[in-house]
Amino acid sequence: MSGTYLLQNLIDGISLGSIYALVAIGFSMTYSILRLINFAHGDILMIGAYSGLFIMVAWQLPLWASLLGAMIFAAFVGMLVERIAYRPLRGSNEEATLITSLAVSIFIENLGIMVLSPQPRGFAIPKFLTKLHTINEITISNMTILIISLAIILMLVLTYFVICTRMGVAMRACSENINAARLMGVNINKVVACAFAVGSGMAAVAGIMLAGQYGRIEPLMGFVPGLKAFIAAVIGGIGSIPGAALGGYVLGLSEILLVALLPAAYSGYRDAFVFIILILVLLFKPAGLLGTLEGRKV
Amino acid sequence: MKKITAFLLTLVMVFAMAGCGEQKDAAKDNEAAAGETIKVGAIFNLTGAQASLDGPSLNGFKLAAKEINAKGGVLGKQIEVISIDGKTDQTSATNAALKLAEEDKVVAMAGFSDSNYALAAGPTAQEAGIPFITTGATLPSLPEQVGDYFFLAPFGDDAQAYAAADYAVEKLGSKTAYILKDTAMDFTMNLAAYFEERFKKYNGEDAILLEDTFKTNDQDYSAQINRLKAMKTKPELLFISSGPSDCGIIVKQVREAGIDIPIISGDGFDTPLLIELGGEGANVDTYFATHTCLTNEKELVKNFVTAYQEEYSREPENGFAALGYDTMYLIADAIERANSEDPTAIRDAIAETQGFEAVTGTISYEPGNRVPKKSVSVLKVEDGKFAFVEEVTP
Amino acid sequence: MLSRRDKLYTGIALIIFLGLLGILNNTLSGYHMRLINLIGINIILVVSLNLTNGFCGVFSLGHAGFMAVGAYVSAILALPLTKKALVLPELPTWLGSIEVNFLLSLIIGGLVAAFFALLIGYPVLRLSGHYLAVATLGFLIIIQVLITQLSHITRGARGINGLISYTNVWWVWGTVIVTIYAVWRIVNSSYGRGMLAIREDDLAAESLGINLTSHKLLAFCVGAFFAGVGGALWGHLITVVNPLSFDSNRTFNLVVMSVVGGMGSITGGVIGATLMTIVPELLRNLEVGITIFGMSIPPLYGLSQIILAGALILVIFFRPHGLVGNWEFNWNFLKKSKNISKTTQNL
Amino acid sequence: MDTVKKNKIVLSVEGITKKFKGLVAVDNYNLQLPEGEIIGLIGPNGAGKTTVFNMLTGIFPPTEGKIMLAGSDITGFRPDHIVQRGIARTFQNIRLFSNLSVLENVVIAAQIRKKYGFISTLCSSASFTKEENELITKAEEYLEALGIAEYKEQKAKNLAYGIQRKLEIARALATNPLVLLLDEPAAGMNPQESIDLMHTIRKLKDEFNLTVILIEHDMKVVMNLCERLQVLSYGKILAEGTPEEIRNNKLVIDAYLGRSTASA
């Protein structure tokens, strides 16, 4: 096994991991505040990808504008979903919110099939992004570079937002203890709406990156990344934003590296190995890599 | 608590009554209407993961029914297509087949592009004694597994895989091959196995240098491609056994990694997505064996494409649309020849079909074989379009 | 414990119910009987899921995985030898040369599923909440991968078809009665109370001498056993099993049924399974095109799922703990006096 | 003191220490507890009293030290094993099974000694029915003993605070313990309720032949009930002795008692 082979796979794994990380972060944000497993998060990603395509094709706008537009639209949809489906259940039991999010997911997916047709569509990205660079037999496209760097930039922006802005502080307060935050005068509705907006916006970016990388979108495209985001968030320590990012990279890298390092006959076992790793991580760190175990309070 | 019980009981009763009432009325209607139309059942997965294949099939199927009705129908009666969504779920598929057989009293059924669902619904039709023609499932052993009421409209996987192997060896001169196959699909596994068998027959046991796998919708194939790039002896041919949803992405990623070896595959590649997603990559030496070439100059094909465009304001999405279209005509032809609405008579008529000219080739069932002997078209991608290369009968 | 009177009522109700089934079996169409059988299978699956998820509070998403194990084991065992040689030629000889009767294959299927539950449960059940949910979902995916890959035993993605349709109304509803009885016995015993205590407060439960691991494992394994049996019945109803038959959607479906009915109650499981089997089938009737005043509306496929999702959200809004919550069916409504029976009965 | 000496030691704790990530919560705690004694554990908030209970009941295994119950070493045992050996407890913040009935709460504790197996559960065998009935009778006895039998059909979460406290004690008693640990049983009670509780505990001690460790802030309760007191401060034992000795201990007054006696 040559060094270049390994390096190539590392780059590919980081690229895939960046997308998972973006989805997982949004997933984890809403979880940390509401303890809500939002299965509809992946479908927001789908909506983001479709709106991005629409902006590029119908209005002939460049990629950056479509990214921005998709973020705004997805943020709006995210807030709408929260307002309609999740807010009335605030403070309710976990199972109820879980089922509601499943229902929202079924709703969006089938609405997508009805309105957008189940046919996959091509998602063409500007030519300069498909350009390949080859260094030492390692190929890397501009798209991959864009994905990796955009993920890093968004994470830095998010970190700034969470640490330095009033809303960010309020968000952290809510995730520590939502009732205490409420008593301290934090407007919970605003914070939750904001978390949904930010999370959905990031999912939209991930959606466009995913569509751009693989060139295809379809109404059910959100299901798998949504599930992966859930897993990534859990690996990292559900509710922890840096954890979600880390979990995304771990998941992306292990998916690629497992196939790369195992003999070809075992490629089909990839998902099984990924989950075995996941279960092992949880057994040794029951609260995920960066999660804090909510100790048994006596 | 009493209130809840009462509420629930009422709810259950209302539902039960609604259900019974509705179905009884429907049953009555059926009997009254039995003389007026000939009912044909269509079970396609219109939602869920299979929707992109089955949707166009149903469109083609309905289009054909419309055309037949416009020309006066069969046996002087109009054809009524009763379509039920299989929801990409085996339970729903069998429920639908039972409903069509028992509630709607259809004389024949058609549907599905994947053998998993055909295998679930087929036995139900078999038991009810109603002929079932699968529009798109290509597993050659299906009729044998289900029974004598089950037919394939397309050729079997063996035919297309052999055609691909023949073409690769004879025309492309390939001596060694690499196989990438989707392990999550019955179809891709079979296709790869038949290709391997034929290719080894020509070039010896060691002709397949590497076999790698993926799963439907993996989306990222870089690990497999990196392994392919790292191979010491480069293969002369890539056989990629994938379904329509993955083929474009795979071709794109393979070509982007700088691999220019010829790619060949089966009808899974017969989708505009191959060109749309494969982009420039698909233009490089990409071949596949399939049912028909929609850019073919044949009268039948041209008429179908125009009619489809008129009806649905878009090009046929893929070859499955043509297969759906052909299946309806095949059923209508059988009813006409049977001169009866009796499912068994129709079954016998289907089995006797000889030289039936269809968009996807000429359909004949040899005695005892319910997989048609059909010609296979080999296509190539050229300037962003499918170009006809040759037609073979393996 | 049931009082004499309650036993009498239950017995009478059972006889009436079985008689009714017999009559329906002879009068209803195959399609309607199919629905009745599916309701029964879903009741088996959901009631057993409620034991784990609802009574013990171990929120598992692996139920479809146990279904898969049971369905495959029973399918391979009960397949007639002649067919086995044809369909599964690569089976190890000892497996390829036995054919067991259906009942035995159901039981073995359930037991193997329970054994898998033991294997996965022992390490995983120390997790809690969403971590456990993901780990059990992982188990489901691992099972799916194994079934896909071990093609010499399972035929991989091709699945095993041509199963004999053994499953009929008596097998299904017989198993329903056994399942409900077993779960009801467990719930009303020290084991069940231990599970309830763990659900309410695991630390307090442990401090009162309840062995968390063994109770959780018991709930998990019994749940898996019936999931395996339910899966085997399902397989022999549809007559074909493949890896895609048991995906995460199926697990989610079962969880939805369980939550809609009420997780912490057998009654809830029965109601949830019944409603969520019938309603989607009824909604199908909406998916036909209609012609009004010459305007034809094409059939909108996916509409039934959308309506169902909307209805689901409404149910959860108004009854977050499901339609019946933790309430159990009992015969008290037949009693005139208001005082509640002496002991703590749940049924 | 003489009466105490006569009885044999039921619980012996030797130098248990608990560290959380370097922080020492309890440092070298010792206790020799003779049968039938009520000992009080007092100290300011955060002194480590509840941590001592958690170590004794196995919720946190001690970092160092040894716990002997009735002559056998139970250090590091799991909570459920320790209860079976005979240490039961109540919690500072009540931890009832709130959606279950009062009777069920106590039956769950009483079933620690049940013998029937899984098969007889499924068959509803005679031994099963007999034992279940015994369990219920036993649980009802404990409810009677605490005078809360009238609530047995109610859900635990619907009870008044004081009754919830009593239910928790009944539940702990139902495990038939040698040693009972009570964590602030009088917290949140009014003076009259506290006095009632005092009488109840004394009565239970005699009736069930109990040995009790009591954490309590209410000095009236502690001084009246306990034969001996331990004062904990910053995880260490500051003083130990009879209530009289503690009341006059300079160190204790400075660290802790001064304020509360003054205010009491």
Side-chain angles (χ1 to χ4, degrees):
Chain A
M1 196 169 308
S2 65
T4 50
Y5 178 71
L6 199 64
L7 196 60
Q8 177 79 62
N9 281 305
L10 275 175
I11 292 171
D12 294 330
I14 289 171
S15 160
L16 185 63
S18 301
I19 293 173
Y20 289 158
L22 284 182
V23 196
I25 286 172
F27 187 89
S28 214
M29 280 179 81
T30 49
Y31 178 85
S32 70
I33 297 174
L34 290 180
R35 300 286 178 273
L36 161 75
I37 296 287
N38 186 7
F39 276 111
H41 193 64
D43 300 300
I44 300 279
L45 174 147
M46 179 271 288
I47 290 175
Y50 267 94
S51 49
L53 179 72
F54 180 80
I55 293 167
M56 275 202 293
V57 173
W59 296 341
Q60 297 290 328
L61 291 177
L63 184 68
W64 64 267
S66 112
L67 272 173
L68 203 66
M71 278 179 87
I72 292 169
F73 185 69
F76 172 74
V77 176
M79 289 196 288
L80 195 71
V81 166
E82 190 273 324
R83 182 70 195 81
I84 295 174
Y86 300 147
R87 193 175 299 176
L89 281 172
R90 184 104 29 100
S92 189
N93 51 329
E94 273 178 13
E95 296 80 36
T97 51
L98 181 95
I99 296 301
T100 311
S101 82
L102 270 174
V104 170
S105 167
I106 297 171
F107 190 94
I108 296 178
E109 281 173 10
N110 284 288
L111 197 67
I113 285 182
M114 260 168 67
V115 177
L116 303 165
S117 109
Q119 291 303 320
R121 286 161 208 238
F123 190 98
I125 42 169
K127 278 269 180 300
F128 73 92
L129 282 176
T130 54
K131 200 172 165 262
L132 294 178
H133 306 280
T134 309
I135 313 149
N136 259 347
E137 284 182 48
I138 294 172
T139 45
I140 181 165
S141 71
N142 276 335
M143 188 70 204
T144 310
I145 298 173
L146 178 73
I147 290 173
I148 295 174
S149 43
L150 203 59
I152 292 172
I153 292 169
L154 278 176
M155 281 179 219
L156 289 178
V157 171
L158 185 73
T159 312
Y160 171 80
F161 171 79
V162 169
I163 292 177
C164 302
T165 63
R166 276 180 68 93
M167 183 51 88
V169 173
M171 226 175 250
R172 278 189 293 149
C174 286
S175 69
E176 281 293 318
N177 185 334
I178 194 161
N179 287 323
R182 195 200 312 271
L183 293 175
M184 302 298 284
V186 174
N187 183 340
I188 303 292
N189 285 341
K190 239 176 161 174
V191 171
V192 171
C194 182
F196 268 89
V198 174
S200 304
M202 297 188 84
V205 175
I208 292 180
M209 295 294 110
L210 205 61
Q213 180 82 320
Y214 305 127
R216 180 175 68 122
I217 58 178
E218 53 166 333
L220 300 182
M221 68 182 281
F223 181 73
V224 173
L227 214 56
K228 296 264 168 78
F230 180 26
I231 297 158
V234 168
I235 294 181
I238 193 162
S240 146
I241 293 176
L246 180 67
Y249 285 111
V250 168
L251 189 63
L253 277 168
S254 48
E255 282 189 358
I256 299 278
L257 289 179
L258 276 172
V259 177
L261 300 179
L262 290 169
Y266 292 99
S267 296
Y269 286 96
R270 187 190 74 180
D271 286 354
F273 287 125
V274 167
F275 272 99
I276 288 171
I277 291 179
L278 166 84
I279 291 173
L280 287 178
V281 165
L282 288 181
L283 290 182
F284 289 103
K285 304 266 310 179
L289 292 171
L290 296 185
T292 42
L293 197 61
E294 285 179 10
R296 303 174 96 182
K297 288 182 185 127
V298 187
Chain B
M1 280 307 142
K2 269 186 194 173
K3 274 185 197 160
I4 297 175
T5 334
F7 166 73
L8 284 170
L9 279 175
T10 345
L11 204 68
V12 169
M13 272 162 66
V14 167
F15 268 118
M17 276 173 5
C20 294
E22 221 162 310
Q23 257 105 29
K24 278 221 180 89
D25 290 348
K28 261 184 221 152
D29 288 349
N30 284 350
E31 278 156 31
E36 291 154 24
T37 59
I38 296 179
K39 289 183 173 159
V40 177
I43 323 171
F44 289 95
N45 291 321
L46 303 163
T47 51
Q50 287 279 320
S52 64
L53 304 184
D54 280 17
S57 271
L58 176 64
N59 286 341
F61 195 77
K62 280 185 162 170
L63 173 64
K66 200 177 166 186
E67 285 178 9
I68 294 166
N69 287 339
K71 286 180 214 147
V74 281
L75 305 179
K77 288 179 188 171
Q78 296 279 295
I79 288 174
E80 185 186 346
V81 175
I82 300 176
S83 158
I84 301 186
D85 181 5
K87 298 183 183 171
T88 316
D89 171 70
Q90 291 168 319
T91 317
S92 287
T94 49
N95 286 354
L98 258 179
K99 191 166 190 235
L100 285 174
E102 297 193 344
E103 303 286 310
D104 299 314
K105 309 251 186 297
V106 296
V107 301
M109 293 182 215
F112 297 124
S113 311
D114 188 281
S115 54
N116 281 340
Y117 306 96
L119 274 173
T124 310
Q126 173 75 28
E127 217 165 289
I130 293 173
F132 188 109
I133 306 183
T134 175
T135 54
T138 46
L139 182 64
S141 60
L142 267 177
E144 200 183 316
Q145 291 180 18
V146 176
D148 57 348
Y149 279 78
F150 193 96
F151 296 86
L152 254 61
F155 47 61
D157 292 328
D158 45 355
Q160 52 173 325
Y162 290 168
D166 291 355
Y167 185 82
V169 173
E170 286 163 13
K171 304 284 155 60
L172 300 174
S174 313
K175 292 262 181 295
T176 54
Y178 160 94
I179 295 178
L180 179 64
K181 66 183 177 191
D182 183 347
T183 54
M185 264 202 275
D186 198 4
F187 155 64
T188 50
M189 294 290 282
N190 283 313
L191 196 67
Y194 287 120
F195 175 83
E196 193 174 332
E197 174 203 323
R198 188 80 152 199
F199 197 79
K200 279 181 178 168
K201 212 177 102 191
Y202 285 117
N203 291 325
E205 281 301 307
D206 304 323
I208 309 293
L209 298 184
L210 182 68
E211 242 186 289
D212 215 337
T213 60
F214 67 100
K215 265 175 50 216
T216 317
N217 283 328
D218 269 358
Q219 302 229 332
D220 195 297
Y221 310 95
S222 37
Q224 287 90 341
I225 292 169
N226 292 339
R227 196 195 329 266
L228 167 62
K229 273 175 78 180
M231 279 169 72
K232 287 212 180 70
T233 350
K234 304 283 181 227
E236 293 170 11
L237 178 78
L238 310 180
F239 184 79
I240 294 175
S241 190
S242 87
S245 56
D246 300 278
C247 63
I249 304 171
I250 298 177
V251 170
K252 174 173 175 256
Q253 290 183 18
V254 166
R255 295 303 186 219
E256 275 179 2
I259 299 169
D260 289 337
I261 307 165
I263 293 176
I264 196 160
S265 183
D267 68 341
F269 270 41
D270 187 5
T271 160
L273 289 169
L274 176 64
I275 293 165
E276 221 173 290
L277 309 187
E280 279 306 305
N283 279 330
V284 184
D285 267 338
T286 307
Y287 306 85
F288 59 92
T290 186
H291 310 274
T292 185
C293 176
L294 291 176
T295 56
N296 201 318
E297 288 302 308
K298 265 194 218 162
E299 192 73 13
L300 215 52
V301 180
K302 264 163 64 183
N303 286 347
F304 162 68
V305 174
T306 333
Y308 196 93
Q309 269 171 328
E310 268 172 31
E311 182 74 16
Y312 303 107
S313 347
R314 55 175 181 265
E315 301 256 322
E317 288 88 344
N318 49 38
F320 294 101
L323 284 167
Y325 182 83
D326 285 349
T327 307
M328 183 69 244
Y329 269 108
L330 185 64
I331 293 173
D333 173 69
I335 298 175
E336 201 75 63
R337 279 187 290 114
N339 197 17
S340 156
E341 289 178 42
D342 174 49
T344 313
I346 297 172
R347 188 214 81 85
D348 294 339
I350 297 173
E352 285 160 11
T353 306
Q354 288 299 325
F356 177 77
E357 289 291 332
V359 176
T360 57
T362 312
I363 297 175
S364 303
Y365 292 103
E366 287 172 357
N369 189 358
R370 294 177 300 282
V371 183
K373 214 168 158 49
K374 264 170 112 177
S375 58
V376 182
S377 304
V378 178
L379 272 60
K380 179 183 198 257
V381 185
E382 235 171 43
D383 302 326
K385 278 199 188 103
F386 292 153
F388 178 73
V389 180
E390 64 170 15
E391 192 171 313
V392 288
T393 313
Chain C
M1 269 155 283
L2 292 181
S3 68
R4 238 215 185 112
R5 182 209 57 167
D6 289 347
K7 272 183 189 158
L8 183 70
Y9 287 158
T10 311
I12 294 173
L14 255 174
I15 291 167
I16 293 177
F17 179 73
L18 290 175
L20 197 68
L21 269 185
I23 295 169
L24 289 178
N25 196 23
N26 289 324
T27 51
L28 281 187
S29 72
Y31 169 66
H32 287 118
M33 281 322 288
R34 167 66 61 101
L35 287 186
I36 287 177
N37 286 338
L38 280 173
I39 290 172
I41 292 177
N42 282 331
I43 289 177
I44 297 166
L45 294 168
V46 176
V47 168
S48 59
L49 182 68
N50 274 4
L51 183 69
T52 343
N53 288 22
F55 289 108
C56 195
V58 171
F59 200 85
S60 154
L61 291 178
H63 221 53
F66 299 123
M67 268 181 86
V69 173
Y72 267 90
V73 167
S74 146
I76 293 170
L77 288 177
L79 207 60
L81 284 180
T82 45
K83 268 194 183 168
K84 214 182 265 196
L86 197 75
V87 179
L88 293 162
E90 291 169 79
L91 275 186
T93 36
W94 65 271
L95 208 55
S97 57
I98 45 166
E99 179 192 338
V100 298
N101 73 38
F102 186 49
L103 176 65
L104 198 60
S105 86
L106 285 183
I107 295 171
I108 297 177
L111 287 176
V112 176
F115 177 71
F116 271 80
L118 197 68
L119 279 186
I120 180 80
Y122 193 74
V124 153
L125 283 175
R126 71 181 79 166
L127 301 172
S128 62
H130 297 130
Y131 297 99
L132 180 70
V134 169
T136 47
L137 186 67
F139 160 73
L140 167 61
I141 292 183
I142 292 169
I143 285 289
Q144 257 191 307
V145 170
L146 286 179
I147 292 175
T148 313
Q149 297 296 325
L150 299 175
S151 54
H152 56 289
I153 301 174
T154 62
R155 274 170 59 89
R158 289 172 293 171
I160 303 175
N161 65 286
L163 308 186
I164 296 173
S165 51
Y166 286 118
T167 304
N168 62 24
V169 71
W170 305 117
W171 280 114
V172 171
W173 287 91
T175 314
V176 168
I177 292 166
V178 171
T179 310
I180 291 181
Y181 175 79
V183 173
W184 170 74
R185 290 299 330 153
I186 293 171
V187 169
N188 287 291
S189 73
S190 66
Y191 299 101
R193 282 189 301 266
M195 292 172 194
L196 290 174
I198 292 171
R199 177 189 77 191
E200 294 290 316
D201 187 333
D202 59 345
L203 191 110
E206 202 177 9
S207 301
L208 292 171
I210 289 164
N211 184 333
L212 297 188
T213 320
S214 68
H215 278 79
K216 283 180 180 178
L217 263 181
L218 180 71
F220 201 54
C221 291
V222 172
F225 175 82
F226 286 110
V229 173
L233 285 170
W234 183 87
H236 285 94
L237 183 74
I238 307 291
T239 71
V240 48
V241 288
N242 68 40
L244 292 178
S245 316
F246 309 100
D247 57 0
S248 44
N249 278 328
R250 189 164 299 279
T251 279
F252 291 146
N253 256 335
L254 294 174
V255 173
V256 166
M257 290 180 189
S258 144
V259 176
V260 164
M263 284 171 65
S265 138
I266 296 173
T267 318
V270 173
I271 289 173
T274 311
L275 279 181
M276 297 301 289
T277 315
I278 296 177
V279 174
E281 233 12 78
L282 286 180
L283 286 175
R284 259 182 208 282
N285 295 323
L286 296 174
E287 286 187 345
V288 287
I290 339 165
T291 313
I292 311 169
F293 306 122
M295 283 250 302
S296 66
I297 302 169
L300 294 169
Y301 298 104
L303 189 66
S304 68
Q305 285 99 321
I306 291 181
I307 294 175
L308 195 64
L312 204 58
I313 295 178
L314 285 181
V315 168
I316 297 294
F317 276 3
F318 292 107
R319 303 201 65 87
H321 290 279
L323 288 170
V324 304
N326 287 344
W327 176 80
E328 278 301 359
F329 176 80
N330 57 43
W331 296 110
N332 290 344
F333 63 93
L334 291 178
K335 255 199 294 191
K336 280 188 186 130
S337 62
K338 267 190 170 176
N339 59 337
I340 311 162
S341 62
K342 256 188 191 169
T343 51
T344 53
Q345 313 174 340
N346 279 325
L347 194 87
Chain D
M1 291 301 266
D2 289 349
T3 52
V4 170
K5 284 254 163 64
K6 270 193 287 180
N7 289 339
K8 69 170 196 276
I9 301 294
V10 59
L11 180 69
S12 144
V13 181
E14 290 163 27
I16 55 170
T17 297
K18 183 72 202 170
K19 294 180 185 150
F20 293 108
K21 290 178 184 165
L23 186 91
V24 184
V26 172
D27 190 6
N28 194 23
Y29 174 84
N30 290 292
L31 175 69
Q32 296 296 316
L33 189 61
E35 201 169 49
E37 191 183 276
I38 300 186
I39 187 170
L41 196 55
I42 61 173
N45 284 327
K49 304 184 296 286
T50 299
T51 309
V52 169
F53 270 24
N54 285 340
M55 283 191 283
L56 294 182
T57 52
I59 288 170
F60 305 141
T63 325
E64 287 163 33
K66 201 168 144 191
I67 303 167
M68 305 280 287
L69 179 71
S72 57
D73 190 347
I74 57 163
T75 323
F77 278 31
R78 279 206 323 251
D80 51 322
H81 289 166
I82 290 183
V83 200
Q84 270 154 4
R85 295 295 181 102
I87 303 182
R89 70 175 294 180
T90 68
F91 294 90
Q92 191 176 351
N93 340 313
I94 303 175
R95 299 186 86 116
L96 292 171
F97 307 121
S98 40
N99 284 310
L100 307 186
S101 75
V102 167
L103 186 65
E104 278 172 315
N105 265 278
V106 183
V107 171
I108 286 169
Q111 72 191 27
I112 196 167
R113 315 254 174 253
K114 69 103 194 173
K115 287 177 208 76
Y116 63 77
F118 189 60
I119 300 299
S120 43
T121 304
L122 288 182
C123 318
S124 184
S125 70
S127 71
F128 172 85
T129 319
K130 186 166 156 270
E131 258 195 77
E132 280 285 294
N133 284 331
E134 279 170 11
L135 279 178
I136 290 166
T137 327
K138 200 103 174 257
E140 280 168 343
E141 275 169 26
Y142 288 110
L143 288 176
E144 291 290 349
L146 278 138
I148 52 173
E150 57 185 300
Y151 305 103
K152 70 178 181 188
E153 294 295 339
Q154 286 190 28
K155 273 193 180 180
K157 66 176 173 193
N158 297 335
L159 298 177
Y161 188 76
I163 300 177
Q164 290 195 355
R165 283 267 176 227
K166 284 186 177 170
L167 174 56
E168 228 193 355
I169 297 174
R171 201 176 63 171
L173 277 181
T175 64
N176 199 13
L178 295 170
V179 182
L180 180 64
L181 315 185
L182 297 173
D183 200 343
E184 299 197 28
M189 288 189 173
N190 65 33
Q192 185 52 49
E193 285 173 328
S194 297
I195 291 168
D196 282 351
L197 183 77
M198 238 157 63
H199 292 311
T200 316
I201 293 175
R202 201 168 277 146
K203 191 188 82 165
L204 293 176
K205 182 197 151 220
D206 297 338
E207 196 175 330
F208 295 101
N209 191 22
L210 287 171
T211 313
V212 180
I213 311 179
L214 180 74
I215 295 178
E216 187 50 69
H217 281 294
D218 187 331
M219 280 308 138
K220 209 185 255 161
V221 174
V222 177
M223 298 291 175
N224 280 317
L225 209 53
C226 301
E227 293 146 51
R228 201 152 58 102
L229 291 178
Q230 281 185 323
V231 186
L232 228 56
S233 177
Y234 295 106
K236 288 192 174 120
I237 298 175
L238 191 69
E240 193 171 345
T242 61
E244 202 54 37
E245 287 165 5
I246 294 295
R247 213 197 295 267
N248 301 323
N249 187 313
K250 180 106 175 38
L251 277 171
V252 178
I253 292 169
D254 285 349
Y256 171 60
L257 263 188
R259 245 178 328 122
S260 52
T261 36
S263 63

